[in-house]
């Protein structure tokens, strides 16, 4: 049999591409040495097959060998350490994050957003959530052959979402034999224990192959109380009790316990009688509660995966391929007990005058009594979320080739069926239905148990609650009572399902032979359907619990697409034009929910010398609104913002006409949680704000440009250098119409139409607000990627290879407005997560069966708005930007060092020990808590991580 198998089916790349963290290109020295010419292959970013297609675009390839030399156990962790990766989307350090996407692993290229990076698995889309997020935790590490990352727009090739680039995870096929892997590790502090086990086996015959890979992975959570920057409060080790929550776990009520019997927030004296008003005193800052130790710093995760690939050659030129993936992912997070405020608009559950625990309740002297409002941190019951995701993926295809008129043509017909089912179980939010009963009329029975109702007419199954009894203090109505907890705190269950169904047909080949080579083409059609449903618990939908209100997301859309790509050789084998090739592509997309769009791409490849390649691309991109964007329900959140009607904040307009008309006093100070004056800004609202979707959204659009060169100097054997410039411009970005934008428009710019959704309470604070999604955003980013790879000549002491990759961001600008309403450009380079420079330096040494791999990961300094202009908190207090005062705090650069030592044992095994963040480097505090719930950047290592890996081949 004469099967055409070499590179097209196996997807092999030239050896030069398989080296880590360098843009893909074939070494000129290898060519000079007579490297084998491979058959035509398909690479990420093009549908046309050819041996040189990988050089035309800035593609980064991570081989399996690269992955094994790192201490990471998930695809997302590996990709997050690329220098072109942006801040981690919904990082595991964001314990306060909530919603459907929490618990997943996502990748964000160039800081353009995780939903603007398209993720493929073997060239086909990964299933997405209703918000368009593609969870990389679905893909087991053991099944990966390599990862290709295209770092420019590719909507003309792949359609929506490929604005920032494309990540294509290519799995193992035609595996022959068996392999077992064990990976264990933990942080130097003794927590975050990791265990990962995988087994891969396969068989290859004359006509087909079967590969199976199974993996189990689990990492325990890390608690905030166990790290230096998160245990003490919002200002890290610099926190004092004044920075803690006024909503204490001792409880307090508003009543006459101040000097002279003035009203104050009263808390119980130690050992006092909760029924006696005289046993209370006004709460002080020293009694505030530090809730951080109750919170997760790093969420725990558990994954179970099975991947199967099968191939079968029906004939010499027709083959069948199928991928089947089943994955279960569980993540668990914990945050502090709920900060209960009975007087908030969303809660509104005062303690009844008929409650047996009310200090101002009915008495002989006061037969009417009065209800009271109280505040209480429910620390006895921390809030936990268990997020479960089950993925089933089936991707069959039939492909082949044929010859016609002396030309070869490749064809492929395929389908994709991807289903994600999610279940979220939340515990720790109180039922308001139960709370109203527990705070209503009550009595203490003969057994000393506080019950609802009266002794003559008790309410069956209802236990009374005394929120004024401090944590750890026993007594009737104590929240330490497990039966009372069971009555007040049900488990809330949210379910979701998303489905992606696609059918594709592609044809590629050569139209004609030109003097410089073959005029290649690729043509294809695709039909895709996306549907999703996310159903919060009935309590969540009705708002009858202390958590954030949510409503159902339910919708679907379908689209039809057609694309055409041409690869046109212009010159070849001429002086200063060893190659000149033009690549053009166009894609027409017709969506059922918003209409149609056309996007194009143009690329040029010029090789003036064998050792020098110049390349450039221009691409149009788009991102279609997700189901959640258009058909999502309404959700609640506690927002952080600056109220411009407050005195003492940046940009204050306190006392102006708009603020006065809203009933805000000229000396108003913004109120935060607990309705106490904010001491830092931005400050978290004490009340829930509502936001929602917009069915009239239109697609985001983008333009991306790249220009680069690849140089392999002939006089330095083994040296390859690449330099690429990039520029992205995005218009009509779908963003939330933020609280700050609305307040600025209403009160600073005087646009009265923007004030309609703002509701203020009598004391001036904003008690309600609604805001939705809109095509309001515009941004531009620009920079350079530099890659240097040098494989030194082999010497007596071994082989040394050096890899260096650096990304330099020139600009990251967003459109905004100044105080006068003029359009301005807001520069964000250096803001947390948007680094001016990110760089990785890797050195690999191999000597016989021994190997050492060292990596240094460098991040340039960051800047953030000052939380205070006091000395020590702000190093640029007098800074101005766009004509407005904009004080900044700056922090220095950070470098993390990784090391792995490996040994290839004679029994066909490999043993490796290593450490990520070898020297236990600590980053600087970031009080703005970027990508984190704590005063630290969520993309930094949280300690030294030690690990051991063992691989056994059979």
């Amino acid at each position: 049999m004469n099967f055409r198998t070499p590179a097209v089916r196996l997807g092999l790349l030239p050896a030069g591409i398989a080296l880590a963290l360098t843009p893909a290109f074939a070494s000129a020295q290898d060519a000079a040495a007579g490297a084998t010419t491979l058959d035509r292959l398909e690479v990420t970013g093009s549908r046309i097959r050819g041996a040189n297609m990988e050089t035309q675009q800035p593609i980064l390839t991570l081989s399996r060998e690269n992955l094994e030399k790192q201490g990471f156990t998930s695809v997302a962790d590996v990709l997050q350490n690329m220098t072109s990766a942006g801040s981690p989307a919904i990082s595991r350090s964001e314990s306060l994050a909530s919603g459907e996407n929490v618990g997943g692993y996502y990748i964000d290229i160039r800081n353009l957003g995780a939903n603007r990076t398209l993720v493929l698995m073997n060239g086909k889309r990964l299933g997405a959530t209703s918000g368009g997020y593609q969870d990389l935790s679905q893909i087991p590490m053991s099944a990966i052959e390599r990862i290709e990352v295209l770092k420019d727009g590719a909507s003309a090739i792949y359609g929506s979402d490929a604005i920032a680039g494309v990540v294509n995870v290519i799995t193992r096929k035609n595996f022959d034999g068996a392999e077992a892997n064990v990976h264990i590790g933990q942080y130097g502090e003794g927590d975050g224990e990791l265990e990962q086990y995988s087994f891969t086996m396969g068989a290859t015959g004359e006509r087909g192959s079967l590969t199976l890979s199974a993996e189990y992975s689990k990492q325990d959570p890390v608690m905030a109380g166990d790290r230096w920057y998160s245990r003490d409060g919002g200002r890290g080790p610099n926190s004092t009790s004044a920075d803690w929550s006024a909503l204490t776990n001792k409880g307090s009520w508003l009543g006459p316990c101040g000097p002279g019997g003035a009203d104050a927030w009263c808390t119980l004296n130690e050992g006092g009688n909760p029924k006696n008003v005289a046993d209370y005193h006004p709460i002080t800052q020293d009694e505030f509660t530090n809730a951080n130790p109750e919170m997760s710093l790093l969420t725990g995760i558990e994954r179970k995966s099975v991947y199967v690939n099968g191939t079968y050659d029906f004939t010499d030129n027709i083959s069948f391929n199928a991928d089947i993936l089943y994955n279960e992912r569980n993540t668990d997070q914990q945050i502090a007990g709920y900060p209960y405020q009975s007087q908030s608009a969303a809660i509104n559950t005062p303690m009844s005058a008929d409650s047996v625990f009310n200090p101002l309740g009915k008495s002989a002297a006061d037969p009417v009594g009065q209800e009271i409002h109280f505040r209480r941190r429910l620390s006895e019951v921390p809030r936990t979320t268990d997020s479960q995701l089950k993925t089933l993926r089936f991707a069959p295809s039939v492909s082949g080739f044929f010859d016609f008129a002396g030309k070869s043509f490749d064809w492929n017909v395929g389908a994709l069926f991807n289903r994600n089912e999610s279940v979220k179980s939340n515990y720790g939010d109180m039922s308001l239905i139960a709370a109203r009963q527990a705070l209503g009329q009550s009595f203490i029975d003969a057994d000393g148990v506080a019950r609802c109702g009266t002794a003559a007419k008790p309410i069956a199954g209802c236990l009374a609650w005394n929120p004024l009894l401090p944590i750890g203090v026993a007594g009737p109505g104590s929240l330490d009572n497990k039966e009372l907890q069971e009555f007040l705190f049900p488990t809330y269950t949210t379910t979701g399902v998303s489905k992606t169904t696609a059918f594709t047909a592609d044809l590629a080949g050569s139209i004609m032979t030109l003097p410089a080579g073959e005029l290649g083409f690729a043509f294809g059609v695709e039909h895709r359907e996306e549907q999703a449903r996310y159903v919060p618990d009935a309590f969540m939908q009705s708002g009858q619990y202390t958590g954030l209100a949510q409503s159902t997301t339910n919708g679907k859309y379908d689209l039809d697409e057609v694309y055409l790509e041409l690869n046109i050789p212009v010159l070849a084998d001429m002086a200063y034009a060893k190659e000149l090739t033009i690549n053009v592509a166009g894609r027409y997309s017709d969506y059922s929910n918003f209409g149609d769009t056309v996007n194009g791409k143009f690329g040029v490849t010029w090789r003036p010398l064998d050792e020098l390649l110049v390349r450039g691309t221009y691409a149009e991109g788009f991102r279609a609104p997700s189901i959640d964007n258009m058909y999502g329900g309404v959700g609640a959140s506690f927002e952080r913002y600056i109220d411009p009607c407050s005195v003492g904040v940046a940009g204050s307009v306190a006392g102006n006409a708009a603020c006065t008309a809203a009933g805000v006093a000229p000396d108003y100070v913004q109120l935060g949680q607990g309705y106490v004056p904010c001491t830092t800004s931005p400050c978290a609202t004490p009340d829930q704000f509502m936001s929602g979707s917009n069915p009239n959204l239109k697609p985001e659009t983008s333009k991306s440009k790249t220009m680069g060169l690849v140089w392999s100097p002939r006089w330095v054997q083994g040296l390859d250098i690449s330099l690429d410039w990039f520029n992205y411009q995005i218009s009509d970005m779908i963003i939330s119409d933020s609280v700050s934008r609305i307040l600025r428009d209403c009160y600073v710019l005087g646009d009265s139409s923007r004030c309609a959704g703002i509701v203020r309470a009598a004391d001036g604070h904003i008690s309600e607000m609604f805001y939705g999604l809109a095509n309001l955003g515009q941004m531009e980013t620009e920079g350079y990627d530099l890659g240097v790879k040098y494989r030194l000549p082999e010497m007596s002491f071994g082989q040394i290879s050096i890899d260096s990759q650096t990304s330099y961001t020139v600009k990251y600008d967003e459109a905004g407005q100044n105080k006068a309403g003029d359009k301005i450009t807001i520069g964000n380079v250096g803001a947390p997560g948007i680094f001016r420079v990110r760089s990785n330096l890797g050195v690999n040494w191999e000597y016989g069966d021994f190997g050492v791999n060292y990596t240094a990961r460098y991040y340039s300094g960051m800047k953030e708005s000052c939380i205070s202009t006091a000395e020590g908190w702000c190093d640029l207090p007098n800074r101005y930007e766009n004509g407005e005062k904009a004080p900044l705090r700056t922090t220095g650069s950070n470098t993390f060092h990784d090391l792995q030592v490996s040994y290839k044992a004679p029994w066909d095994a490999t043993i490796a020990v290593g450490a990520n963040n070898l020297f236990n480097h600590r980053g600087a505090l970031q009080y703005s808590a970027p990508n984190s719930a704590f005063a630290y950047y969520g993309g930094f290592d949280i300690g030294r991580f030690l690990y051991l890996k063992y691989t056994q081949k059979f």
Side-chain angles (χ1 to χ4, degrees):
M1 294 273 180
N2 180 24
F3 293 107
R4 180 169 164 249
T5 57
V8 176
R9 277 186 42 210
L10 303 184
L12 300 176
L13 291 180
I17 313 172
L19 295 171
L21 301 177
T22 57
F25 55 88
S27 168
Q29 289 92 336
D30 291 341
T36 302
T37 300
L38 296 180
D39 200 349
R40 297 176 304 133
L41 52 98
E42 182 179 329
V43 298
T44 304
S46 176
R47 301 285 193 179
I48 299 174
R49 295 174 177 175
N52 296 317
M53 293 303 297
E54 79 281 355
T55 64
Q56 294 188 1
Q57 302 173 87
I59 299 175
L60 181 150
T61 301
L62 302 175
S63 69
R64 180 159 192 84
E65 182 183 5
N66 305 143
L67 304 181
E68 291 172 346
K69 290 178 180 178
Q70 303 182 43
F72 305 110
T73 56
S74 75
V75 180
D77 288 339
V78 169
L79 294 175
Q80 192 58 51
N81 280 283
M82 299 187 307
T83 62
S84 57
S87 299
I90 315 179
S91 79
R92 291 173 65 194
S93 293
E94 293 183 275
S95 56
L96 291 173
S98 62
E100 178 187 6
N101 302 309
V102 171
Y105 281 3
Y106 312 102
I107 182 62
D108 174 2
I109 295 179
R110 308 287 191 208
N111 274 303
L112 298 182
N115 52 5
R116 297 183 184 93
T117 298
L118 179 63
V119 180
L120 308 175
M121 182 175 173
N122 295 325
K124 297 182 178 180
R125 288 173 175 263
L126 208 59
T129 67
S130 68
Y133 287 84
Q134 299 165 94
D135 184 2
L136 286 160
S137 71
Q138 302 173 52
I139 306 174
M141 285 283 284
S142 59
I144 298 173
E145 178 65 31
R146 69 181 185 276
I147 303 172
E148 295 179 358
V149 182
L150 172 67
K151 296 185 291 183
D152 72 356
S155 288
I157 304 298
Y158 297 109
S160 177
D161 308 331
I163 286 180
V166 179
V167 174
N168 190 9
V169 181
I170 299 169
T171 56
R172 303 168 89 170
K173 302 176 180 67
N174 300 284
F175 186 85
D176 214 345
E179 177 183 289
N181 292 273
V182 177
H183 187 155
I184 58 175
Q186 67 177 18
Y187 286 101
E189 289 84 352
D191 53 16
E193 183 173 337
L194 166 75
E195 52 181 321
Q196 181 166 295
Y197 311 97
S198 65
F199 184 77
T200 302
M201 60 183 297
T204 302
E206 183 180 0
R207 281 191 170 274
S209 67
L210 185 65
T211 302
L212 182 147
S213 187
E215 182 174 284
Y216 172 81
S217 179
K218 181 181 180 181
Q219 185 170 19
D220 293 338
V222 175
M223 300 304 295
D226 296 325
R227 289 299 183 273
W228 65 278
Y229 63 86
S230 56
R231 63 181 174 231
D232 298 313
R235 300 193 186 195
N238 299 314
S239 301
T240 66
S241 59
D243 301 306
W244 296 349
S245 174
L247 280 66
T248 76
N249 51 28
K250 296 178 180 224
S252 59
W253 60 282
L254 186 61
C257 69
D263 278 353
W265 285 102
C266 312
T267 193
L268 188 65
N269 299 334
E270 186 174 352
N273 177 5
K275 280 284 290 179
N276 185 2
V277 175
D279 279 351
Y280 288 87
H281 66 273
I283 194 168
T284 65
Q285 289 184 354
D286 292 338
E287 297 173 293
F288 286 3
T289 294
N290 175 19
N292 280 23
E294 302 174 38
M295 300 178 67
S296 299
L297 171 65
L298 194 70
T299 58
I301 183 167
E302 182 178 23
R303 293 185 292 115
K304 305 170 187 176
S305 305
V306 177
Y307 167 77
V308 178
N309 172 263
T311 67
Y312 185 75
D313 296 323
F314 293 115
T315 68
D316 290 4
N317 55 3
I318 300 178
S319 300
F320 172 78
N321 182 86
D323 292 326
I324 301 174
L325 173 67
Y326 178 76
N327 179 73
E328 292 184 9
R329 183 260 291 159
N330 283 35
T331 55
D332 58 88
Q333 64 185 121
Q334 176 176 305
I335 60 176
Y338 185 78
Y340 200 107
Q341 303 175 87
S342 70
Q343 77 274 37
S344 71
I347 304 298
N348 192 24
T349 55
M351 181 185 286
S352 169
D354 293 316
S355 171
V356 70
F357 304 118
N358 189 330
L360 300 181
K362 296 180 179 179
S363 65
D366 183 8
V368 176
Q370 66 183 73
E371 65 181 24
I372 61 171
H373 279 293
F374 64 91
R375 305 189 307 205
R376 177 66 148 79
R377 171 75 70 170
L378 311 181
S379 297
E380 293 90 340
V381 188
R383 288 167 287 173
T384 60
T385 301
D386 178 57
S387 302
Q388 304 176 26
L389 177 73
K390 294 181 180 180
T391 299
L392 180 60
R393 177 184 180 89
F394 177 49
S397 65
V398 178
S399 60
F401 69 95
F402 62 89
D403 295 325
F404 178 76
K407 305 292 183 183
S408 292
F409 298 87
D410 297 281
W411 59 271
N412 181 286
V413 176
L416 169 64
F417 306 95
N418 197 102
R419 179 186 176 92
N420 289 343
E421 293 183 2
S422 65
V423 177
K424 288 183 179 292
S425 299
N426 300 83
Y427 183 75
D429 275 301
M430 187 178 289
S431 160
L432 296 181
I433 297 174
R436 292 187 185 98
Q437 291 181 313
L439 295 167
Q441 188 176 40
S442 58
F443 70 100
I444 298 176
D445 68 10
D447 297 324
V449 178
R451 300 192 180 279
C452 307
T454 64
K457 193 175 181 180
I459 301 175
C462 179
L463 299 177
W465 172 38
N466 183 3
L468 307 182
L469 203 60
I471 186 172
V473 176
S478 170
L479 200 55
D480 284 319
N481 184 335
K482 298 300 181 184
E483 289 185 66
L484 178 59
Q485 291 179 12
E486 290 177 5
F487 172 66
L488 293 173
F489 298 92
T491 296
Y492 308 98
T493 302
T494 297
T495 61
V497 60
S498 62
K499 300 177 184 178
T500 299
T501 305
F503 302 95
T504 60
D506 306 279
L507 178 66
S510 172
I511 298 175
M512 60 185 298
T513 302
L514 299 177
E518 297 294 326
L519 173 58
F521 81 97
F523 171 80
V525 296
E526 178 176 349
H527 174 78
R528 179 160 53 93
E529 297 178 358
E530 299 280 359
Q531 62 182 56
R533 181 177 173 85
Y534 183 70
V535 185
D537 189 278
F539 272 91
M540 298 177 174
Q541 296 195 49
S542 64
Q544 294 299 313
Y545 83 133
T546 56
L548 302 177
Q550 303 176 48
S551 59
T552 296
T553 294
N554 185 28
K556 63 180 180 178
Y557 64 84
D558 61 79
L559 61 144
D560 295 297
E561 298 183 293
V562 59
Y563 76 88
L564 174 65
E565 181 186 5
L566 298 175
N567 200 62
I568 308 167
V570 179
L571 299 173
D573 299 323
M574 299 179 65
Y576 302 106
K578 298 296 182 181
E579 176 191 355
L580 179 61
T581 303
I582 294 173
N583 182 274
V584 293
R587 190 180 193 93
Y588 171 78
S589 306
D590 186 11
Y591 280 74
S592 63
N593 52 349
F594 66 80
D596 56 10
T597 179
V598 178
N599 293 271
K601 185 171 184 177
F602 174 85
V604 62
T605 304
W606 174 44
R607 193 186 299 272
L609 306 170
D610 285 334
E611 63 196 59
L612 180 65
L613 173 73
V614 181
R615 62 191 176 197
T617 62
Y618 170 83
E620 298 173 331
F622 77 103
R623 183 178 81 85
S626 66
I627 291 173
D628 182 43
N629 291 159
M630 301 189 77
Y631 311 116
V634 174
S637 62
F638 289 95
E639 294 296 314
R640 293 171 60 87
Y641 64 94
I642 296 175
D643 188 343
C645 291
S646 168
V647 297
V649 300
S652 171
V653 292
N656 76 357
C659 294
T660 302
V664 184
D667 60 350
Y668 167 73
V669 177
Q670 183 177 347
L671 301 182
Q673 287 196 348
Y675 302 98
V676 298
C678 298
T679 57
T680 61
S681 59
C683 182
T685 173
D687 296 300
Q688 296 181 17
F689 291 172
M690 307 299 292
S691 61
S693 57
N694 181 352
N696 298 314
L697 291 171
K698 58 184 179 180
E700 301 176 341
T701 60
S702 72
K703 292 180 173 61
S704 63
K705 292 167 278 188
T706 69
M707 182 64 70
L709 58 85
V710 180
W711 184 39
S712 302
R714 70 182 70 178
W715 58 86
V716 184
Q717 184 73 22
L719 175 64
D720 294 311
I721 302 171
S722 68
L723 177 64
D724 287 284
W725 166 81
F726 62 85
N727 178 276
Y728 295 83
Q729 299 177 40
I730 306 179
S731 301
D732 296 323
M733 292 176 67
I734 299 171
I735 61 174
S736 176
D737 189 1
S738 70
V739 172
S740 296
R741 183 192 293 264
I742 294 172
L743 295 179
R744 187 180 184 86
D745 290 348
C746 172
Y747 299 112
V748 179
L749 304 181
D751 184 353
S752 59
S753 66
R754 298 282 278 163
C755 305
I758 305 171
V759 178
R760 289 186 181 266
D763 58 10
H765 89 273
I766 302 172
S767 57
E768 297 178 41
M769 183 182 287
F770 178 84
Y771 54 99
L773 300 175
N775 292 100
L776 291 173
Q778 295 183 32
M779 64 86 60
E780 179 180 6
T781 186
E782 181 179 343
Y784 298 88
D785 289 332
L786 173 65
V788 179
K789 178 192 69 175
Y790 184 32
R791 184 177 178 86
L792 281 69
E794 188 168 358
M795 292 172 270
S796 59
F797 53 83
Q799 177 77 60
I800 296 177
S801 300
I802 299 173
D803 263 326
S804 173
Q805 185 190 36
T806 300
S807 292
Y808 181 88
T809 303
V810 175
K811 70 168 71 171
Y812 189 99
D813 295 342
E814 294 181 279
Q817 289 181 318
N818 62 13
K819 186 180 295 188
D822 301 323
K823 291 183 178 180
I824 61 173
T825 297
I826 303 172
N828 291 302
V829 174
I834 306 174
F835 299 98
R836 174 74 72 182
V837 179
R838 275 194 67 177
S839 184
N840 291 340
L841 173 64
V843 180
N844 188 70
W845 171 71
E846 295 180 356
Y847 181 74
D849 294 326
F850 292 91
V852 177
N853 192 75
Y854 162 80
T855 302
R857 296 176 279 124
Y858 171 84
Y859 302 79
S860 59
M862 292 185 278
K863 61 185 181 183
E864 62 182 355
S865 297
C866 296
I867 61 172
S868 168
T869 55
E871 185 178 354
W873 298 97
C874 189
D875 56 330
L876 297 174
N878 299 315
R879 176 179 175 273
Y880 278 78
E881 183 177 30
N882 295 312
E884 300 179 26
K885 194 169 184 178
L888 280 183
R889 173 179 177 268
T890 60
T891 60
S893 62
N894 294 273
T895 304
F896 299 89
H897 304 266
D898 305 333
L899 182 69
Q900 182 183 111
V901 179
S902 62
Y903 169 66
K904 296 179 181 178
W907 55 89
D908 210 8
T910 301
I911 305 167
V913 294
N916 293 338
N917 191 14
L918 177 65
F919 302 114
N920 199 27
H921 174 74
R922 294 180 173 185
L925 294 171
Q926 297 292 153
Y927 299 116
S928 55
N931 299 96
S932 172
F934 310 99
Y936 201 65
Y937 173 55
F940 282 167
D941 298 46
I942 65 170
R944 180 191 295 116
F945 190 82
L946 307 168
Y947 63 88
L948 167 67
K949 297 200 296 184
Y950 181 87
T951 300
Q952 178 67 62
K953 295 183 179 180
F954 303 94

